[in-house]
């Protein structure tokens, strides 16, 4: 009798303390499938639904009470701004639910850093939001998706992961969405933040943080609850012999701002520099970032620098800044540049 009572009491306690995690699925390699276990490059990303992903990892049930929603099922090159806005709005609402301890977003790895960065700038909550993907499709030998998903859910359910902004979790590592980028086309350890490092790692499914909770310096926040579309911002890649053609056609095609992927510290050829100075005079927003892959891009007379952000992250920030009708001085502050 006593033993039976104890069992009931314990299961009640477990139920009450059992964390709730919401999984939003968008597609990607983690939901990818091919006919051969050796196929790790020409599989079809976004083939499997969120239920398939969850059923493949029955261990998830011992970590959290999971609810899920399919937001899209595409390779991440096909993620557009409507998906970003939907994710940010849905996640922000869901995090108000006291039964939800954290959120996981499954995503293709190619543009994962853009979506994770967008969510980091647009979700305001102490609760963890974790973006996860995989480098090998679900059908591959040694597929990394199931363990990555288990770790991401474990991270989203962990109180230790609170107040750290959006997190990127793959390959046993935990990174800040603000800083983490994809650095290798095919390797499993592709997600890194070369200057800032990882925030922590996993021992099995257990997250272990290296530092107490912190968020990136001067991270801006944008409320997108009433925003239904973001202004077009284009990235123009610099190289020897580059001219003004692509800049002019991007503006003609409706770009409301430009990101320059410059050489070195955001350098551009002299003819381009002259065009950027004209655009600056006209109040048209241009941010210079770098094609080098790391380091600060500083402000120069012809245009603002992107600070620590690479071109694709600078594009996300400029779209959000322009959606809020900011002036150039305010935009400079968003990029943490004088
Ligand atoms: N890794 C890709 C993604 O981000 C899919 C692979 C591909 O399209 O070639 O969804």
């Amino acid at each position: 009798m006593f033993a039976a009572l104890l069992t009931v009491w314990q299961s009640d306690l477990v139920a009450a303390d059992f964390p709730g995690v919401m999984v939003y699925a968008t597609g990607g390699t983690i939901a990818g499938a091919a006919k051969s276990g050796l196929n790790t490059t020409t599989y079809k990303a976004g083939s499997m639904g969120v239920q398939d992903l969850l059923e493949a990892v029955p261990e998830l049930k011992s970590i959290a009470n999971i609810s899920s929603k399919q937001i899209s099922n595409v390779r991440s090159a096909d993620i557009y701004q409507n998906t970003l806005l939907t994710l940010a709005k849905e996640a922000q609402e869901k995090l108000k639910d006291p039964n939800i301890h954290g959120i996981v977003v499954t995503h293709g790895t190619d543009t994962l850093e853009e979506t994770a960065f967008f969510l980091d700038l647009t979700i305001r909550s102490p609760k963890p939001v974790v973006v996860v993907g995989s480098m090998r499709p679900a059908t591959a030998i040694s597929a990394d998706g199931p363990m990555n998903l288990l770790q991401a859910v474990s991270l989203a359910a962990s109180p230790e992961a609170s107040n750290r902004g959006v997190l990127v979790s793959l390959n046993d590592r935990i990174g800040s969405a603000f800083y983490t980028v994809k650095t290798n086309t095919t390797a499993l350890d592709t997600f890194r933040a070369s200057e800032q490092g990882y925030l922590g790692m996993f021992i099995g499914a257990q997250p272990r943080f290296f530092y107490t909770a912190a968020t990136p310096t001067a991270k801006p926040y944008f409320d997108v609850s009433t925003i239904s579309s973001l202004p077009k911002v284009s990235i123009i890649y610099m190289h020897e012999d580059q001219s003004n053609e692509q800049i002019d056609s991007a503006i003609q095609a409706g770009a409301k701002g430009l990101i320059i992927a410059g050489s070195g510290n955001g350098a551009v050829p002299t003819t381009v520099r002259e065009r950027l100075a004209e655009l600056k005079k006209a109040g048209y927003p241009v941010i210079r970032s770098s094609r080098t892959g790391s380091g600060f891009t500083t402000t120069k007379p012809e245009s603002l620098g992107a600070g620590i952000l690479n071109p694709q992250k600078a594009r996300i920030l400029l779209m959000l800044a322009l959606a809020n009708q900011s002036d150039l001085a305010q935009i400079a502050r968003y990029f943490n540049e004088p």
Side-chain angles (χ1 to χ4, degrees), residues 17 38 41 93 112 130 169 185 201 204 223 233 266 270-271 279 295-296 316 319-320 328:
D17 284 349
L38 292 175
T41 55
E93 271 311 297
L112 186 148
V130 182
S169 158
T185 51
M201 62 181 293
D223 178 358
V233 171
T270 302
T271 46
L279 291 170
F296 277 83
I316 295 284
M319 286 197 304
L320 284 165
L328 284 183

Short mmCIF file of all heavy atoms in Angstrom, two decimals, residues 17 38 41 93 112 130 169 185 201 204 223 233 266 270-271 279 295-296 316 319-320 328:
data_model
loop_
_atom_site.label_atom_id
_atom_site.label_comp_id
_atom_site.label_asym_id
_atom_site.label_seq_id
_atom_site.Cartn_x
_atom_site.Cartn_y
_atom_site.Cartn_z
N ASP A 17 7.10 18.43 -12.64
CA ASP A 17 8.40 19.06 -12.91
C ASP A 17 8.89 18.81 -14.33
O ASP A 17 9.94 19.31 -14.71
CB ASP A 17 9.46 18.49 -11.96
CG ASP A 17 9.31 19.08 -10.56
OD1 ASP A 17 8.54 20.06 -10.44
OD2 ASP A 17 9.93 18.58 -9.65
N LEU A 38 25.23 6.16 -48.16
CA LEU A 38 26.48 6.86 -48.49
C LEU A 38 26.23 8.26 -49.05
O LEU A 38 27.16 9.04 -49.22
CB LEU A 38 27.27 6.05 -49.53
CG LEU A 38 27.84 4.73 -49.05
CD1 LEU A 38 28.50 3.99 -50.20
CD2 LEU A 38 28.86 4.98 -47.94
N THR A 41 25.46 14.25 -49.99
CA THR A 41 25.52 15.55 -50.68
C THR A 41 24.38 15.81 -51.66
O THR A 41 24.06 16.96 -51.93
CB THR A 41 26.85 15.69 -51.47
OG1 THR A 41 26.97 14.56 -52.35
CG2 THR A 41 28.05 15.78 -50.56
N GLU A 93 5.04 34.13 -28.78
CA GLU A 93 3.75 33.82 -28.14
C GLU A 93 3.86 32.55 -27.30
O GLU A 93 3.40 32.50 -26.17
CB GLU A 93 2.67 33.62 -29.22
CG GLU A 93 1.95 34.89 -29.62
CD GLU A 93 1.46 35.72 -28.44
OE1 GLU A 93 0.60 35.26 -27.65
OE2 GLU A 93 1.97 36.85 -28.30
N LEU A 112 21.27 28.50 -41.49
CA LEU A 112 20.87 28.41 -40.08
C LEU A 112 21.32 29.64 -39.29
O LEU A 112 20.59 30.17 -38.45
CB LEU A 112 21.45 27.13 -39.49
CG LEU A 112 21.06 26.74 -38.06
CD1 LEU A 112 21.04 25.21 -37.91
CD2 LEU A 112 22.00 27.33 -37.02
N VAL A 130 16.55 27.17 -29.05
CA VAL A 130 17.70 26.45 -29.58
C VAL A 130 17.47 26.14 -31.05
O VAL A 130 16.44 25.56 -31.41
CB VAL A 130 17.91 25.12 -28.82
CG1 VAL A 130 19.15 24.40 -29.34
CG2 VAL A 130 18.03 25.37 -27.31
N SER A 169 22.95 24.66 -31.56
CA SER A 169 23.44 23.43 -30.93
C SER A 169 23.59 22.34 -31.99
O SER A 169 22.62 21.91 -32.61
CB SER A 169 22.41 23.06 -29.86
OG SER A 169 22.45 21.71 -29.54
N THR A 185 31.76 23.43 -45.64
CA THR A 185 30.61 23.01 -46.45
C THR A 185 30.06 21.63 -46.06
O THR A 185 28.85 21.40 -46.19
CB THR A 185 31.00 22.96 -47.95
OG1 THR A 185 32.19 22.18 -48.06
CG2 THR A 185 31.23 24.36 -48.50
N MET A 201 29.30 22.64 -24.01
CA MET A 201 29.26 21.40 -24.80
C MET A 201 28.34 20.39 -24.12
O MET A 201 27.76 20.68 -23.07
CB MET A 201 30.67 20.84 -24.95
CG MET A 201 31.32 20.47 -23.64
SD MET A 201 33.00 19.83 -23.86
CE MET A 201 32.66 18.30 -24.72
N GLY A 204 27.10 13.41 -23.52
CA GLY A 204 25.89 12.69 -23.91
C GLY A 204 24.82 13.71 -24.24
O GLY A 204 25.01 14.57 -25.10
N ASP A 223 10.99 44.49 -32.04
CA ASP A 223 9.65 43.91 -31.88
C ASP A 223 9.04 43.74 -33.27
O ASP A 223 8.80 44.73 -33.96
CB ASP A 223 8.82 44.87 -31.02
CG ASP A 223 7.40 44.39 -30.83
OD1 ASP A 223 7.03 43.32 -31.39
OD2 ASP A 223 6.63 45.08 -30.13
N VAL A 233 17.07 44.00 -48.72
CA VAL A 233 18.47 44.41 -48.58
C VAL A 233 19.31 43.41 -49.37
O VAL A 233 19.16 42.20 -49.22
CB VAL A 233 18.91 44.42 -47.09
CG1 VAL A 233 20.42 44.64 -46.97
CG2 VAL A 233 18.16 45.50 -46.31
N GLY A 266 36.64 45.41 -45.29
CA GLY A 266 35.51 45.95 -46.07
C GLY A 266 35.95 46.86 -47.20
O GLY A 266 35.24 47.81 -47.55
N THR A 270 38.22 51.83 -56.09
CA THR A 270 38.01 53.28 -55.99
C THR A 270 36.69 53.73 -56.63
O THR A 270 35.98 54.57 -56.07
CB THR A 270 39.21 54.02 -56.64
OG1 THR A 270 40.38 53.59 -55.94
CG2 THR A 270 39.08 55.52 -56.51
N THR A 271 36.33 53.17 -57.79
CA THR A 271 35.07 53.59 -58.42
C THR A 271 33.88 53.24 -57.52
O THR A 271 32.92 54.02 -57.42
CB THR A 271 34.84 52.88 -59.78
OG1 THR A 271 35.11 51.50 -59.60
CG2 THR A 271 35.68 53.46 -60.89
N LEU A 279 26.12 57.62 -52.33
CA LEU A 279 24.94 57.04 -51.68
C LEU A 279 24.83 57.54 -50.24
O LEU A 279 23.74 57.84 -49.75
CB LEU A 279 25.01 55.50 -51.71
CG LEU A 279 24.85 54.87 -53.09
CD1 LEU A 279 25.19 53.38 -53.05
CD2 LEU A 279 23.43 55.08 -53.62
N GLY A 295 36.51 38.88 -37.98
CA GLY A 295 37.05 40.19 -37.66
C GLY A 295 36.04 41.31 -37.77
O GLY A 295 34.95 41.13 -38.30
N PHE A 296 36.41 42.48 -37.23
CA PHE A 296 35.56 43.68 -37.29
C PHE A 296 35.72 44.37 -38.63
O PHE A 296 36.83 44.41 -39.18
CB PHE A 296 35.97 44.68 -36.21
CG PHE A 296 35.39 44.38 -34.87
CD1 PHE A 296 35.97 43.45 -34.02
CD2 PHE A 296 34.23 45.03 -34.45
CE1 PHE A 296 35.43 43.19 -32.78
CE2 PHE A 296 33.68 44.76 -33.21
CZ PHE A 296 34.28 43.83 -32.37
N ILE A 316 20.56 40.72 -42.22
CA ILE A 316 19.42 40.51 -41.31
C ILE A 316 19.23 41.73 -40.41
O ILE A 316 18.12 42.25 -40.26
CB ILE A 316 19.66 39.24 -40.43
CG1 ILE A 316 19.70 37.97 -41.29
CG2 ILE A 316 18.63 39.14 -39.31
CD1 ILE A 316 18.40 37.45 -41.78
N MET A 319 17.91 44.78 -42.39
CA MET A 319 16.47 44.64 -42.71
C MET A 319 15.63 45.01 -41.50
O MET A 319 14.63 45.73 -41.61
CB MET A 319 16.14 43.19 -43.11
CG MET A 319 16.62 42.82 -44.49
SD MET A 319 15.82 41.32 -45.12
CE MET A 319 16.17 40.13 -43.87
N LEU A 320 16.01 44.51 -40.33
CA LEU A 320 15.24 44.80 -39.11
C LEU A 320 15.33 46.28 -38.76
O LEU A 320 14.34 46.90 -38.36
CB LEU A 320 15.74 43.94 -37.95
CG LEU A 320 15.28 42.48 -38.00
CD1 LEU A 320 16.08 41.60 -37.04
CD2 LEU A 320 13.78 42.37 -37.67
N LEU A 328 20.47 56.90 -40.15
CA LEU A 328 21.80 56.31 -40.30
C LEU A 328 22.59 56.30 -39.00
O LEU A 328 23.33 55.35 -38.72
CB LEU A 328 22.59 57.05 -41.39
CG LEU A 328 22.18 56.73 -42.84
CD1 LEU A 328 23.07 57.47 -43.83
CD2 LEU A 328 22.22 55.23 -43.12
#
